[in-house]
């Protein structure tokens, strides 16, 4: 039998054999062996693969049929019998109830036959409760499936005439001892489920409803296998039957087409050493994995986390941050096979949470860790940049003018100031006048502009005067830049070339003295004016930066959680404008005691002093060189910038900064986000229940994991029984470590002793569970 469930199964646990009436005539007087051969042939020819069957004759066990079928077929089979029982001595009509037994009884099927049939034959009325107690005393493992909404008086619901009796009956005939209510077909399955939902208010209905073939002829048997009423997510065993009966989600009513998503990324099996040495024949451990939920359990220090970390290390050693831990887990020498039956690729993607990882995300010192972990989410806000890389790129792309030498621009433009100076000409249209000359300062511009506008006092309130003042300031700034570009950038090169050509023509080739004199003049001019010109250009380049590049920016990416819960991944940034940065660097370089009030000067005044005079040289702080100020402005090295990334969690319509909540809420919220994402990459978690209270584990975390496992492979370490049992783990790995050797047993909950051993580790064993049940009173 498989240890892990790979595919859903088809069961038919209600098949009559030719033994006894009324079925003998339906099989055409076939012998038991002919019957077995025929049904095996039907199963072999069917397109559907059947996983488990049971022969359930009325009040008899056909031991020959069980023995022959076990020899001739590898299909799983469990013993069963349909018994006519009475619910009480007063009842006139019997009920049809099927009893199923552990498959271990097949080894002594004739002893079971004798034990059951002797009791039935020796009692005129088989009272239901008495028969159950008889089986309990005889230490038989059994489960019961009554007929409901089926066969009239023989169904247990026949006498539920009113709501009170129906409610009492539903409570009495559900539970672990009744794994199924068996009905006649798909329509009755729906009716029974609807009835139970009404009785249990939907959320408390844990009763499974099924419809097997109830066949007494080959045609009915064949019709069922070709079109079964339901499919089972269980191993083909008696324990699988119990799980299907106690968990309705184990039963689905449409065939589950289960193609693996990204099979190369999912772990199918691993091999590792049990003694932290190289893998050899005598120390190898092999563990299979489900593509759904795999739970690693075990006592403290038994190797649970070591196994998970060893797997993670084998996939990507950089995911194990602690160096000591890396050195330890790499000794397992893990070999991983994926669901393509090949070696796991080195670039496989997965999501890993180590112990306490979530609390580390929010420890206040790991903003980079948080941003790295949620890199994909914050990437949606890519327009919000951090640092000054975009500004540097803009500086590099700026058009650099050729170095202009050999001329004092004041010689040619005596009334022109290079950057925001005192003398600039402006033409402004005015009625009956061609132009107005505006000079000296921004106030003059302001007054001149205002003079050409209407003087109506009702127009000029404080707000409009302020807007006019702002406009004139901006206008002056733009005019200065425009004039500089027009008169210097466009005209200066031609002027320079003409002057040099004129000088060269006038030179005498015979006079070496004159040539040498010219060179000395040129060198002096370059020294005096080239540096000044470059500083002017430097500042003007900074004015070319669009304010949108440095204004406050904010973007958000929204993700869904449970119900109406939302996650907002918010990115916000603010950067200093390069012009303000340049002024700040110049002001910071000046010794305040040597130049009082320098910091109060306007941008234009500061930049004029910086670009066109040598005043700064004597006023700088002793520790600062003027060349370093120029370099700092050009490189934007210390430009102030700030980028903040936050996760805002909306829970019950309340917006909270997840960084400022409790560790428990942070853990719960991150688990909610991860377990509601549409990602299909494998998820590895070490103790997801940490920092989450018991109520949240049962009501939320377990439900999320159970839902998420159908989208992705989950491998987790846990101490919590809720996650394993209520999460319905497809594979449980039980870790043990003794005598310096590791041991890992694995299998589905219904395989072997997995459930019993898990109960000992997680719940203290069955005795502890029974004691809790007694204390709770149920």
């Amino acid at each position: 039998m498989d240890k892990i469930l790979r595919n859903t199964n088809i069961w038919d646990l209600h098949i009559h054999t030719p033994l006894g009436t009324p079925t003998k005539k339906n099989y055409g007087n076939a012998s038991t062996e002919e019957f077995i051969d025929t049904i095996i042939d039907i199963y072999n020819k069917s397109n559907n693969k059947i996983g488990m069957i049971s022969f359930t004759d009325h009040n008899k066990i056909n031991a020959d049929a069980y023995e022959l079928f076990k020899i001739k077929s590898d299909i799983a089979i469990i013993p069963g019998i349909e018994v006519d029982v009475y619910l009480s001595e007063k009842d006139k009509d019997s009920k049809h109830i099927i009893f199923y037994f552990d498959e271990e009884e097949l080894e002594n099927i004739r002893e079971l036959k004798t034990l059951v049939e002797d009791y039935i034959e020796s009692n005129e009325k088989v009272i239901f409760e008495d028969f159950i107690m008889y089986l309990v005393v005889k230490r038989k493992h059994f489960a019961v499936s009554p007929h409901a909404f089926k066969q009239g008086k023989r169904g247990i619901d026949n006498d539920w005439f009113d709501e009170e009796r129906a409610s009492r009956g539903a409570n009495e005939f559900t539970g672990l001892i009744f794994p199924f209510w068996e009905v006649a077909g798909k329509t009755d399955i729906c009716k029974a489920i609807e009835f139970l939902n009404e009785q249990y208010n939907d959320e408390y209905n844990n009763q499974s409803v099924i419809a097997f073939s109830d066949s007494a002829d080959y045609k009915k048997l064949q019709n069922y296998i070709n079109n079964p009423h339901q499919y089972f997510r269980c191993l083909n065993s008696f324990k699988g039957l119990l799980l299907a009966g106690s968990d309705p989600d184990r039963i689905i009513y449409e065939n589950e087409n289960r193609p693996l998503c990204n099979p190369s990324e999912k772990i199918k099996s691993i091999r590792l050493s049990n003694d932290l040495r190289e893998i050899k024949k005598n120390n190898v451990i092999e563990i299979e994995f489900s593509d759904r939920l795999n739970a690693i359990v075990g006592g403290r220090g038994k190797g649970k986390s070591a196994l998970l970390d060893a797997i993670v290390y084998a996939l990507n050693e950089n995911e194990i941050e602690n160096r000591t831990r890396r050195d330890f887990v790499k000794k397992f020498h893990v070999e991983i096979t994926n669901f393509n039956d090949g070696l796991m690729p080195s670039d496989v993607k997965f999501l890993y949470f180590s112990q306490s990882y979530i609390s580390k995300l929010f420890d206040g010192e790991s903003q980079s860790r948080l941003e790295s972990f949620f890199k994909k989410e914050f990437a949606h806000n890519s327009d919000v940049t951090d640092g000054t890389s975009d500004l540097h790129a803009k500086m590099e792309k700026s058009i650099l003018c050729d170095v202009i030498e050999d001329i004092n621009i004041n010689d040619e433009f005596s009334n022109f100031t290079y950057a925001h100076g005192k003398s600039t000409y402006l033409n402004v249209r005015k009625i009956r006048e061609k132009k107005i000359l505006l000079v000296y300062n921004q106030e003059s511009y302001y007054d001149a502009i205002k003079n050409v506008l209407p003087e109506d006092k009702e127009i000029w309130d404080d707000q409009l005067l302020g807007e006019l003042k702002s406009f004139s300031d901006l206008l002056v700034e733009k005019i200065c830049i425009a004039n500089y570009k027009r008169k210097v950038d466009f005209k200066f090169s031609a002027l320079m070339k003409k002057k040099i050509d004129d000088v060269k023509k006038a030179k005498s080739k015979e006079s070496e003295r004159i040539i040498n004199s010219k060179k000395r003049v040129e060198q002096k001019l370059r020294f005096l004016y080239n540096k000044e010109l470059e500083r002017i250009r430097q500042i003007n380049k900074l004015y070319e930066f669009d304010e949108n590049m440095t204004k406050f920016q904010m973007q958000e990416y929204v993700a869904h959680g449970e119900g109406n819960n939302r996650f907002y991944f918010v990115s916000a940034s603010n950067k200093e404008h390069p012009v303000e940065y340049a002024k700040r660097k110049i002001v910071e370089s000046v010794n305040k005691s040597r130049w009082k009030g320098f910091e109060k000067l306007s941008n234009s005044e500061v930049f004029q002093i910086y670009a066109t005079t040598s005043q700064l040289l004597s006023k700088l702080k002793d520790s600062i060189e003027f060349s370093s100020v120029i370099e700092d402005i050009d490189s934007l090295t210390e430009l102030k910038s700030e980028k903040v990334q936050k996760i805002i969690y909306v829970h019950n319509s309340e917006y909270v900064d997840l960084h400022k909540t409790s560790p428990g809420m942070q853990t719960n919220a991150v688990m909610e986000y991860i377990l509601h994402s549409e990602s299909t990459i494998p998820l590895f978690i070490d103790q997801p229940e940490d920092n989450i209270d018991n109520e949240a584990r049962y009501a939320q975390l377990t439900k999320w994991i159970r839902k998420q496992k159908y989208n992705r492979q989950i491998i987790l370490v846990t101490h919590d029984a809720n996650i394993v049992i209520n999460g319905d783990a497809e594979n449980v790995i039980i870790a043990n470590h003794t005598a310096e050797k590791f041991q890992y047993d694995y299998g589905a909950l219904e395989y072997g002793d997995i459930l019993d051993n898990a109960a000992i580790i997680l719940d203290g064993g069955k005795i502890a569970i029974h004691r809790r049940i007694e204390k709770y009173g149920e």
Side-chain angles (χ1 to χ4, degrees):
M1 184 178 69
D2 292 334
K3 297 180 71 172
I4 298 176
L5 179 66
R6 298 294 189 203
N7 297 294
T8 53
N9 297 298
I10 297 172
W11 293 350
D12 188 0
L13 304 183
H14 193 163
I15 301 172
H16 294 285
T17 75
L19 180 67
T21 57
T23 59
K24 186 176 292 185
K25 61 180 180 180
N26 297 339
Y27 288 112
N29 294 317
S31 67
T32 298
E33 186 168 6
E34 289 172 336
F35 163 74
I36 295 298
D37 290 340
T38 303
I39 66 168
I40 289 175
D41 185 60
I42 290 173
Y43 293 148
N44 290 338
K45 290 180 179 179
S46 174
N47 293 326
N48 294 328
K49 183 179 179 181
I50 193 158
M52 185 166 68
I53 68 168
S54 181
F55 300 136
T56 52
D57 288 313
H58 281 279
N59 302 318
K60 294 180 183 297
I61 295 177
N62 191 336
D64 292 338
Y66 280 108
E67 290 173 343
L68 283 170
F69 190 86
K70 188 179 177 184
I71 293 171
K72 295 188 175 190
S73 175
D74 58 358
I75 296 174
I77 186 169
I78 58 172
I81 182 173
E82 185 173 8
V83 183
D84 299 334
V85 301
Y86 295 84
L87 300 181
S88 70
E89 289 282 0
K90 298 179 181 179
D91 287 351
K92 297 180 180 180
D93 300 309
S94 63
K95 308 294 183 182
H96 282 191
I97 295 181
I98 296 178
F99 289 78
Y100 297 108
F101 298 91
D102 196 315
E103 60 265 88
E104 292 181 359
E105 298 289 347
L106 291 172
E107 298 298 325
N108 299 292
I109 189 66
R110 295 192 181 275
E111 292 183 11
L112 178 66
K113 171 183 172 69
T114 300
L115 182 144
V116 172
E117 291 183 2
D118 283 354
Y119 183 89
I120 294 173
E121 291 173 2
S122 61
N123 287 274
E124 184 177 348
K125 277 188 174 182
V126 177
I127 306 302
F128 180 63
E129 291 184 2
D130 294 343
F131 185 50
I132 286 178
M133 289 307 302
Y134 172 74
L135 295 175
V136 170
V137 169
K138 296 297 182 180
R139 299 183 179 276
K140 296 300 177 185
H141 295 154
F142 64 93
V144 179
S145 175
H147 287 349
F149 299 88
K150 178 181 180 180
Q151 296 185 345
K153 294 181 179 180
R154 291 177 292 183
I156 59 169
D157 59 316
N158 179 65
D159 56 352
W160 298 351
F161 301 114
D162 51 50
E163 185 174 344
E164 180 181 354
R165 193 170 299 184
S167 177
R168 187 171 69 248
N171 278 281
E172 185 176 356
F173 291 97
T174 58
L176 287 177
I177 200 171
F178 297 93
F180 304 123
W181 276 13
E182 186 183 351
V183 298
K186 289 186 177 181
T187 301
D188 283 342
I189 287 176
C190 296
K191 288 181 180 178
I193 291 175
E194 183 179 359
F195 167 77
L196 288 164
N197 288 343
E198 290 175 356
Q199 299 302 315
Y200 293 99
N201 298 321
D202 293 336
E203 56 186 297
Y204 300 108
N205 173 26
N206 289 319
Q207 181 63 57
S208 297
V209 180
I210 53 88
F212 295 129
S213 70
D214 196 1
S215 59
D217 60 72
Y218 298 126
K219 184 176 181 181
K220 196 171 184 181
L221 184 74
Q222 191 170 32
N223 288 339
Y224 178 81
I225 185 61
N226 290 333
N227 186 26
H229 302 314
Q230 68 281 305
Y231 303 83
F232 297 84
R233 294 189 181 118
C234 301
L235 293 183
N236 301 312
S237 66
F238 178 71
K239 287 185 177 179
L241 178 146
L242 293 179
L243 280 182
S246 62
D247 190 343
D249 286 347
R250 288 274 189 144
I251 303 173
I252 56 177
Y253 299 98
E254 295 293 336
N255 190 20
E256 183 181 46
N257 187 11
R258 190 178 167 187
L260 281 173
C261 181
N262 301 327
S264 63
E265 295 184 350
K266 293 179 172 60
I267 298 174
K268 184 177 182 180
S269 64
I270 65 170
R271 298 172 77 244
L272 68 157
S273 60
N274 64 9
D275 53 6
L276 302 183
R277 299 175 184 174
E278 292 288 343
I279 295 178
K280 300 177 182 178
K281 290 184 178 180
N282 60 347
N283 72 348
V284 66
I285 300 175
E286 295 189 9
I287 305 174
E288 290 186 79
F289 288 82
S290 167
D291 61 315
R292 290 183 172 168
L293 177 57
N294 304 267
I296 306 173
V297 302
R300 188 174 299 277
K302 297 300 183 182
K304 306 182 302 300
S305 297
L307 175 61
L308 182 63
D309 288 352
I311 294 171
V312 171
Y313 179 86
L315 295 173
N316 184 349
E317 61 185 60
N318 294 325
E319 288 287 340
I320 308 298
E321 296 180 349
N322 184 281
R323 180 178 297 177
T324 302
R325 188 64 170 174
R326 283 204 304 267
D327 292 340
F328 173 70
V329 298
K330 73 179 181 181
K331 296 178 182 179
F332 278 99
H333 304 286
V334 175
E335 298 174 356
I336 302 178
T337 301
N338 59 27
F339 273 87
N340 282 337
D341 293 322
L343 294 178
M344 187 70 74
S346 59
D347 60 346
V348 65
K349 297 178 181 179
F350 62 92
L351 188 60
Y352 169 58
F353 289 98
S354 62
Q355 276 185 279
S356 306
Y357 185 86
I358 294 177
S359 61
K360 293 176 184 176
L361 286 177
F362 299 92
D363 64 5
E365 300 178 359
S366 55
Q367 179 72 12
S368 60
R369 185 199 300 265
L370 181 73
E371 293 173 9
S372 175
F373 184 80
F374 290 107
K375 182 178 180 180
K376 181 179 178 182
E377 287 75 12
F378 283 117
H380 291 273
N381 308 332
S382 58
D383 290 344
V384 179
T385 59
D386 56 348
T388 59
S389 58
D390 51 341
L391 301 182
H392 282 287
K394 172 70 174 175
M395 286 286 283
E396 293 174 1
K397 291 180 180 179
S398 296
I399 300 175
L400 299 177
C401 297
D402 295 331
V403 176
I404 302 174
E405 304 173 346
D406 302 322
I407 190 166
N408 185 339
I409 56 178
N410 281 331
D411 292 342
E412 301 300 327
F413 306 108
S414 58
N415 292 322
F416 176 74
T417 302
Y418 332 114
H420 320 298
K422 296 179 179 179
S423 302
T424 305
Y425 291 97
L426 172 70
N427 292 331
V428 178
R429 293 288 179 182
K430 187 176 180 181
I431 300 175
R432 296 180 183 177
E433 293 184 17
K434 292 183 178 180
K435 64 180 180 179
I436 297 175
L437 182 65
L438 302 176
V439 295
Y440 298 121
N441 52 44
Q442 292 169 336
E443 285 71 19
S444 298
Y445 289 99
Y446 172 76
D447 292 339
I449 294 172
K450 191 170 184 303
N451 288 337
V452 303
L453 299 173
E455 298 182 357
D456 192 335
K457 294 182 179 180
E458 294 182 359
I459 297 176
W460 298 100
D461 56 16
D462 291 341
Q463 181 179 358
L464 190 56
L465 286 172
E467 294 294 335
L468 180 61
K469 181 67 167 60
S470 299
F471 167 74
S472 64
D473 291 346
L474 180 62
L475 186 62
V476 169
E477 185 175 305
K478 297 293 185 181
I479 289 171
C480 291
I481 294 173
N483 281 343
Y484 171 75
K485 287 183 177 180
R486 183 174 65 253
K487 292 188 177 182
V488 176
D489 279 355
F490 300 153
K491 296 182 179 180
F492 188 79
S493 296
L495 179 66
M496 182 69 231
K497 185 176 185 304
K498 184 177 182 304
K499 287 179 69 68
I500 292 175
D501 289 343
D502 291 343
V503 171
K504 286 181 178 180
K505 288 178 182 179
K507 287 181 181 179
S508 172
K509 294 184 179 179
E510 290 81 15
S511 178
E512 184 177 349
R513 184 183 61 81
I514 296 175
I515 294 174
N516 290 336
S517 176
K518 170 60 182 174
K519 288 183 178 180
R520 286 195 296 272
V521 171
E522 290 176 353
Q523 289 174 356
K524 183 176 180 180
L525 288 174
R526 281 198 298 269
F527 177 78
L528 290 176
Y529 300 111
N530 188 51
K531 296 295 183 182
E532 179 179 291
L533 186 60
E534 285 305 305
R535 292 199 297 277
I536 294 171
R537 289 180 171 179
Q538 180 191 47
I539 296 301
N540 280 326
K541 277 200 300 182
L542 300 183
Y543 270 97
E544 293 176 2
F545 279 92
D546 190 339
E547 290 185 0
N548 290 330
M549 294 186 70
T550 59
K551 73 178 183 180
F552 177 79
Q553 292 178 294
M554 187 177 78
Q555 287 185 347
E556 62 187 32
Y557 167 67
V558 185
H560 295 266
E562 180 76 6
N564 293 323
N565 294 350
R566 296 290 183 273
F567 294 86
Y568 291 86
F569 293 86
V570 180
S571 301
S573 72
N574 198 19
K575 289 190 282 287
E576 187 179 27
H577 195 282
V579 170
E580 297 301 324
Y581 165 75
K583 179 182 178 182
R584 177 171 63 81
K585 295 303 296 182
I586 295 169
V587 170
E588 289 176 352
S589 68
V590 172
N591 188 323
K592 292 183 179 180
S593 63
R594 297 177 187 173
W595 197 333
K596 294 182 180 180
F598 181 76
E599 69 278 2
K600 296 180 181 179
L601 297 178
S602 67
N603 288 5
S604 297
E605 291 170 322
V606 170
F607 293 146
Q608 180 176 343
I609 293 169
Y610 167 72
T612 62
T613 75
S614 59
Q615 282 181 284
L616 279 179
L617 295 176
S618 61
K619 309 297 184 183
L620 295 177
K621 295 178 180 178
D622 295 336
S623 60
I624 295 178
E625 296 182 1
F626 190 54
S627 60
S628 67
V629 177
I630 297 173
E631 184 179 344
D632 286 348
I633 293 175
D634 199 46
S635 64
L636 304 179
T637 303
E638 299 179 26
L639 188 142
K640 294 180 180 179
S641 64
E642 181 183 26
K643 182 176 180 180
V644 178
Q645 301 201 122
K646 295 285 187 181
I647 304 175
I648 305 302
Y649 178 46
V650 183
H651 178 64
N652 293 333
S653 300
E654 181 181 355
Y655 290 72
V656 294
D657 182 349
L658 206 54
H659 301 69
K660 298 179 181 179
T661 59
S662 67
M665 188 171 186
Q666 289 169 352
T667 304
N668 199 35
V670 173
M671 283 293 101
E672 178 181 349
Y673 176 74
I674 296 299
L675 296 173
H676 284 78
S677 71
E678 296 181 357
S679 175
T680 59
I681 65 173
L683 174 62
F684 305 151
I685 318 177
D686 197 339
Q687 295 179 210
E689 68 270 16
D690 283 1
N691 294 323
I692 299 179
D693 60 76
N694 287 332
E695 181 179 358
R697 290 182 204 174
Y698 180 79
Q700 297 175 326
L701 182 61
T702 300
K703 180 176 67 175
W704 298 339
I705 290 174
R706 186 163 183 155
K707 181 178 180 181
Q708 186 76 188
K709 71 179 184 178
Y710 295 110
N711 300 327
R712 68 202 308 183
Q713 184 179 45
I714 301 176
I715 302 176
L716 56 82
V717 172
T718 184
H719 292 285
D720 188 77
N722 279 321
I723 293 176
V724 178
I725 305 303
N726 295 317
D728 199 23
E730 277 77 10
N731 184 30
V732 180
I733 302 167
I734 299 176
N736 196 13
H737 180 214
T738 57
E740 298 187 359
K741 287 191 177 183
F742 292 87
Q743 180 180 346
Y744 296 100
D745 296 323
Y746 71 92
L749 283 169
E750 62 267 38
Y751 179 80
D753 296 328
I754 292 294
L755 186 58
D756 292 340
N757 292 335
I760 294 172
I761 294 168
L762 301 174
D763 274 323
K766 292 182 178 179
I767 294 176
I769 296 172
H770 285 305
R771 285 177 178 171
R772 285 200 292 274
I773 291 173
E774 290 173 357
K775 287 185 177 182
Y776 291 141
E778 294 184 11

